[in-house]
Amino acid sequence: MASAKGIFCESCKEKRASIKRPKTGQPLCQECFFAVFEEEVHQTITQNGLFNKGERVAIAASGGKDSTVLAYIMKLLNERHHYGLDLFLLSVDEGITGYRDDSLESVRRNRDQMGIPLQIVSYSQLYGWTMDAIVRQIGMKNNCTFCGVFRRQALDRGALLLKADKIVTGHNADDIAETVLMNVLRGDIARLQRCTHIITGSDGAIPRSKPFKYSYEKEIVMYAYFKKLDYFSTECVYSPNAYRGHARTYLKDLEAIRPSTIIDIIYSGDSLSVKAEIKLPVQGTCSRCGYISSQELCKACVLLEGLNRGLPRLGIGKANGSNLKEHIKKLQLKEERERESLRGEKEGELEEERVKEDQLVYGGCKEERGLKCSCGHKTDTLSLQTENISLEF
């Protein structure tokens, strides 16, 4: 929020500039900054055909700056440009004490202030686990993997409850540039190919769009600050070890040297093409839950399987879906063998009980009637009288 005292707004030429725009370096007054920012988002929406009139749109709302500004802008542009959209706030409660419970209070205030209905879905309802419980089980390492996978699916399930046609997320230009860097560093060609797409999920799941694809994070913060929007700014208590943090730090260093770095990286991702001979995953559905997946089992089902079996690392790493399925089959086979063993032991115990009863009734003979018992007696005329129990040989 750099001040430009003594410099007139480059847009209106009348008022003193109060902002130096991070994206372009332009000195602007507050009113012109608002107008330019809103118009750019509107152009992004219309030029990319993100919505159709009459659609029900779920706004992914976390209570943070991005989703709060997104909800405000979507309502503003919907009314100003007559998009004809039916808007809803959709929040996911991951079950993180001291973080998500507080941020959801911000979302509820936004609901009341903006007059947009709110739907909340939780990990505990959908998966039977909270992130607090997951972290207690697996520790702080790889916890963001679980949260990211579960959150993506939770948003889709929440949107289905709302009967939404589209989901909009607050992913900004910085987020997308970070994702490009992460996928390059991980060598993830499949995700690298689609991570800059402004619309995703149109091939099976509920389509998601990113109206803030070209909006810098700093400008979103400035917009929220000068508009005095109510948002939650505390960082997730489990995120300090997230891999994304390293990409973010690197990107900020680059941006300080060259502000256009963020847009340049996005443009590079948009221009990327993959050789025809490179084999990419084929989109299908999970055989267990029916959610979209390029493997036999979707990532959420694999991670849940590991958690529920006490093997949370089952879904972590580079193992593919078929290997994970084989691993699960082996675990199931092992459990079946253990059950068979327990059944055998139980049958052995029952047999011992029958032998003891025979000893009490037949005076020490262990064999059935008509057979030679272990004590050498021959059971020629073995009989049992019910009223007056006796043995006859």
Side-chain angles (χ1 to χ4, degrees):
M1 284 171 276
S3 175
K5 291 181 179 179
I7 301 174
F8 281 94
C9 173
E10 191 174 296
S11 181
C12 68
K13 314 291 185 185
E14 297 176 357
K15 296 180 181 177
R16 296 282 184 181
S18 58
I19 297 168
K20 183 180 179 182
R21 195 177 179 198
K23 188 175 183 178
T24 61
Q26 293 174 293
L28 298 172
C29 65
Q30 283 188 30
E31 289 73 15
C32 287
F33 169 68
F34 295 152
V36 169
F37 184 83
E38 292 160 7
E39 181 60 23
E40 284 189 358
V41 176
H42 171 61
Q43 291 299 323
T44 300
I45 290 171
T46 54
Q47 290 175 7
N48 293 277
L50 299 189
F51 311 111
N52 297 311
K53 194 168 185 177
E55 287 184 325
R56 293 168 65 86
V57 177
I59 303 169
S62 65
K65 62 184 185 315
D66 298 316
S67 64
T68 300
V69 173
L70 177 64
Y72 181 88
I73 288 278
M74 285 297 299
K75 180 178 173 62
L76 180 73
L77 297 180
N78 188 40
E79 294 172 352
R80 179 184 295 170
H81 297 287
H82 309 289
Y83 292 163
L85 303 177
D86 199 3
L87 301 176
F88 298 86
L89 296 176
L90 174 59
S91 293
V92 177
D93 181 2
E94 301 94 340
I96 303 175
T97 305
Y99 169 69
R100 183 54 72 208
D101 45 0
D102 291 338
S103 68
L104 285 175
E105 287 304 314
S106 294
V107 177
R108 292 186 180 97
R109 289 195 296 271
N110 289 334
R111 172 197 61 192
D112 299 336
Q113 292 160 3
M114 300 178 193
I116 306 175
L118 169 64
Q119 172 73 50
I120 300 175
V121 293
S122 70
Y123 283 7
S124 59
Q125 293 171 336
L126 297 175
Y127 310 117
W129 288 81
T130 64
M131 274 309 298
D132 286 341
I134 291 172
V135 171
R136 283 196 296 269
Q137 176 95 331
I138 70 171
M140 291 290 284
K141 191 175 180 180
N142 295 318
N143 56 285
C144 288
T145 298
F146 285 81
C147 194
V149 170
F150 291 161
R151 183 177 176 79
R152 280 191 292 274
Q153 193 175 116
L155 278 174
D156 279 335
R157 294 189 179 188
L160 286 172
L161 286 175
L162 290 171
K163 298 179 180 177
D165 301 298
K166 301 277 178 64
I167 300 173
V168 289
T169 64
H171 290 99
N172 57 51
D174 298 57
D175 296 328
I176 296 170
E178 289 163 13
T179 304
V180 173
L181 291 175
M182 290 168 63
N183 289 330
V184 168
L185 295 172
R186 290 188 299 211
D188 194 334
I189 301 299
R191 285 192 175 91
L192 183 59
Q193 187 185 34
R194 63 176 185 267
C195 67
T196 60
H197 292 178
I198 196 166
I199 300 175
T200 58
S202 55
D203 52 353
I206 297 175
R208 298 187 187 194
S209 58
K210 308 179 186 79
F212 287 166
K213 177 179 176 179
Y214 303 108
S215 302
Y216 276 34
E217 182 180 40
K218 288 179 181 177
E219 297 196 353
I220 292 172
V221 173
M222 291 169 65
Y223 189 91
Y225 176 80
F226 286 117
K227 282 285 186 179
K228 296 181 172 55
L229 299 181
D230 186 349
Y231 65 92
F232 185 77
S233 57
T234 303
E235 187 181 18
C236 175
V237 294
Y238 298 138
S239 70
N241 296 321
Y243 188 53
R244 181 176 289 274
H246 302 291
R248 180 176 294 123
T249 300
Y250 177 57
L251 183 64
K252 293 304 178 189
D253 291 340
L254 293 176
E255 185 190 5
I257 301 168
R258 180 187 172 96
S260 65
T261 294
I262 293 171
I263 292 297
D264 292 341
I265 291 175
I266 293 174
Y267 177 74
S268 298
D270 283 336
S271 305
L272 177 73
S273 61
V274 180
K275 291 181 180 179
E277 58 267 27
I278 299 297
K279 189 177 180 180
L280 295 173
V282 178
Q283 197 81 291
T285 56
C286 175
S287 61
R288 179 171 297 180
C289 71
Y291 190 69
I292 57 169
S293 174
S294 58
Q295 303 292 344
E296 179 73 16
L297 295 176
C298 71
K299 191 70 171 177
C301 282
V302 169
L303 293 175
L304 276 174
E305 185 79 27
L307 285 170
N308 293 332
R309 291 177 178 275
L311 298 167
R313 290 188 60 80
L314 180 67
I316 302 296
K318 291 192 175 182
N320 60 36
S322 58
N323 289 340
L324 291 168
K325 189 179 179 184
E326 283 299 316
H327 193 99
I328 291 170
K329 280 184 176 178
K330 287 178 182 178
L331 290 172
Q332 292 171 337
L333 185 60
K334 182 180 177 182
E335 286 184 352
E336 183 61 32
R337 287 201 203 99
E338 289 174 352
R339 283 195 293 269
E340 288 290 340
S341 176
L342 287 172
R343 277 198 292 268
E345 290 177 7
K346 190 67 178 175
E347 289 175 359
E349 291 174 0
L350 290 173
E351 181 61 28
E352 287 181 7
E353 289 295 325
R354 284 196 293 270
V355 168
K356 288 178 182 178
E357 290 177 1
D358 288 347
Q359 288 177 332
L360 287 173
V361 174
Y362 298 128
C365 294
K366 298 179 182 178
E367 305 296 330
E368 292 182 5
R369 301 179 198 184
L371 299 176
K372 190 174 180 181
C373 70
S374 59
C375 64
H377 291 156
K378 187 137 184 192
T379 55
D380 294 327
T381 56
L382 186 63
S383 65
L384 178 64
Q385 298 177 3
T386 56
E387 290 184 3
N388 185 18
I389 298 175
S390 64
L391 270 165
E392 292 181 4
F393 289 92

